[in-house]
């Protein structure tokens, strides 16, 4: 991996602090250079996706988490646009349904996992349960967990148990061939403000804005603390978090693409090799076709 992207990985053996990650970092790239590099990376991702599907041994789960207006949707659009849609599946997780509340918090996410050979993209994920729910612990009461009958019972032990569940879940997935790539799009509060204003001022973007976004923005510090805790608790050697500077969307997209590309290359994916018997049949089929 290129040096400018290595620093975006959270090493699980070190204490992580958001203050040490600049939201406007660009790694020496300018906009045009980044756009050109992204084109090349997307071409490489297309080749790697084909090998991923053909080999049928691994699946890839790409997780995007961020504050509102950080650029998750546009990152998915630009980075994944070069992939074969037949090999991808995208899920955007909203408030749980009544059926989903009848199961444990990981159930709906387990149902959305990609099969071997495919790439799954989760726009928000199981991490909402230690992010939004930690900022709004009253939401946990809707899960009807035995013994959790009031907010004051949602204590440190509860959250530690939930972090442990997530670590176990991800460890199980990686042991069974799923590559997990976790991206936190780290946008500054000032940049979020500007993007909200852009959405308000541009009639074609009004639909993207919700008054609820402002209410959550007022809880910025609590969200940053929740993100920092979650990343510290769940960034492991097998499935580390990547902190993507998101003030410059063009750099965020390149960083995400390069990191995915590097991870897939490390899998040493190969096209299946035919057995001698299958190769012989292939030769016979070719001869028959040429003789027509």
């Amino acid at each position: 991996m290129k040096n400018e992207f290595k620093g975006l990985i959270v090493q699980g053996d070190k204490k992580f602090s958001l203050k040490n990650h600049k939201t406007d970092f660009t790694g020496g790239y300018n906009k045009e250079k980044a756009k050109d590099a992204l084109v090349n990376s997307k071409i490489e991702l297309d080749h790697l996706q084909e090998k991923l599907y053909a080999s049928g041994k691994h699946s890839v789960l790409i997780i995007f988490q961020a504050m509102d207006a950080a650029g998750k949707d546009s990152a998915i659009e630009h980075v994944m646009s070069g992939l074969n849609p037949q090999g991808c599946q995208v899920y955007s997780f909203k408030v749980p349904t009544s059926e989903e509340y009848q199961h444990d918090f990981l159930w709906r996410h387990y149902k959305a996992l990609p099969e071997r050979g495919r790439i799954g993209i989760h726009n928000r994920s199981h991490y909402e349960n230690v992010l939004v729910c930690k900022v709004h612990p009253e939401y946990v009461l809707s899960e009807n967990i035995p013994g959790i009958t009031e907010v004051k019972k949602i204590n440190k032990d509860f959250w530690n148990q939930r972090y442990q569940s997530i670590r176990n879940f991800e460890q199980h997935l990686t042991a069974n061939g799923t590559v997990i790539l976790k991206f936190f799009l780290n946008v500054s509060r000032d940049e979020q403000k500007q993007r909200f204003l852009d959405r308000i001022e541009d009639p074609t973007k009004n639909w993207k804005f919700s008054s609820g976004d402002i209410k959550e923005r007022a809880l910025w510090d609590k969200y940053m603390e929740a993100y920092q805790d979650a990343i510290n608790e769940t960034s492991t050697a097998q499935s580390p978090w990547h902190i993507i500077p998101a003030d410059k969307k063009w750099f965020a997209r390149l960083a995400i693409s390069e990191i995915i590309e590097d991870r897939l290359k490390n899998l040493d994916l190969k096209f299946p090799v035919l057995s001698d018997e299958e190769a012989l049949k292939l030769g016979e089929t070719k001869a028959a076709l040429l003789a027509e």
Side-chain angles (χ1 to χ4, degrees):
M1 183 185 296
K2 297 174 183 176
N3 289 332
E4 54 265 43
F5 305 116
K6 287 182 179 179
L8 307 182
I9 303 174
V10 177
Q11 305 296 339
D13 58 345
K14 297 179 182 179
K15 194 69 174 176
F16 163 73
S17 174
L18 271 173
K19 293 180 180 179
N20 296 331
H21 290 262
K22 295 183 178 180
T23 60
D24 59 354
F25 175 76
T26 58
Y29 285 87
N30 58 38
K31 192 171 185 177
E32 291 307 312
K33 181 181 176 183
K35 282 185 175 181
D36 291 341
L38 179 58
V39 170
N40 293 330
S41 183
K42 285 163 68 173
I43 292 172
E44 187 61 33
L45 281 179
D46 179 53
H47 297 322
L48 290 166
Q49 182 196 18
E50 188 176 10
K51 289 183 179 180
L52 176 76
Y53 182 80
S55 64
K57 294 182 178 180
H58 297 278
S59 58
V60 178
L61 174 61
I62 302 173
I63 291 170
F64 288 99
Q65 290 288 160
M67 295 294 285
D68 295 313
K72 296 188 305 300
D73 292 340
S74 63
I76 293 170
E77 176 186 356
H78 285 80
V79 175
M80 308 302 170
S81 61
L83 298 180
N84 185 339
Q86 295 183 95
C88 294
Q89 50 199 70
V90 182
Y91 289 90
S92 295
F93 291 97
K94 307 294 184 183
V95 177
T97 64
S98 57
E99 179 189 17
E100 289 166 347
Y101 270 134
Q102 296 303 312
H103 298 268
D104 69 272
F105 78 95
L106 290 171
W107 180 74
R108 65 173 181 162
H109 304 286
Y110 204 101
K111 285 182 26 174
L113 292 175
E115 305 94 329
R116 288 187 177 88
R118 294 171 65 85
I119 297 173
I121 302 161
H122 288 189
N123 186 347
R124 302 190 188 278
S125 66
H126 49 286
Y127 281 96
E128 292 291 280
N129 295 279
V130 291
L131 296 169
V132 175
C133 288
K134 197 169 186 182
V135 175
H136 297 280
E138 65 274 15
Y139 293 171
V140 175
L141 300 179
S142 297
E143 298 181 32
N144 293 319
I145 300 172
I148 306 298
T149 55
E150 53 186 334
V151 169
K152 68 179 183 180
K153 292 187 177 183
I154 306 171
N155 53 25
K156 185 177 180 179
D157 289 341
F158 174 87
W159 296 117
N160 286 339
Q161 185 180 57
R162 192 149 278 196
Y163 294 136
Q164 183 64 55
S165 294
I166 290 174
R167 289 194 296 268
N168 291 343
F169 173 59
E170 294 181 356
Q171 183 180 25
H172 172 72
L173 295 182
T174 55
N176 285 276
T178 298
V179 175
I180 304 174
L181 287 154
K182 302 184 292 195
F183 296 105
F184 169 55
L185 275 59
N186 188 24
V187 70
S188 68
R189 192 171 185 176
D190 287 342
E191 180 62 22
Q192 188 199 53
K193 175 183 176 180
Q194 185 56 53
R195 292 179 187 179
F196 279 166
L197 289 172
D198 290 343
R199 290 179 178 183
I200 293 170
E201 293 171 2
D202 185 345
T204 66
K205 295 181 179 181
N206 287 171
W207 64 274
K208 292 184 177 182
F209 184 76
S210 168
S211 58
D213 296 342
I214 297 299
K215 293 179 180 178
E216 296 306 292
R217 175 178 165 80
L219 300 170
W220 183 277
D221 290 342
K222 288 187 177 181
Y223 271 107
M224 292 303 102
E225 183 179 355
Y227 271 109
Q228 187 164 283
D229 288 347
I231 292 168
N232 269 313
E233 292 288 343
T234 62
S235 196
T236 64
Q238 290 181 313
S239 55
W241 275 98
H242 302 82
I243 311 303
I244 306 299
D247 281 3
K248 307 295 183 184
K249 288 186 178 182
W250 47 267
F251 179 76
R253 294 163 185 165
L254 174 62
I256 292 165
S257 186
E258 290 275 0
I259 290 168
I260 297 172
E261 178 189 336
D262 182 76
R263 187 69 182 87
L264 291 182
K265 283 181 177 177
N266 287 337
L267 293 177
D268 194 25
L269 299 167
K270 291 181 173 60
F271 290 111
V273 178
L274 295 180
S275 66
D276 292 342
E277 182 180 356
E278 291 171 327
L280 179 62
K281 289 181 180 179
L282 200 65
E284 293 172 348
T285 301
K286 177 180 178 181
L289 288 170
L290 290 173
E292 286 184 356

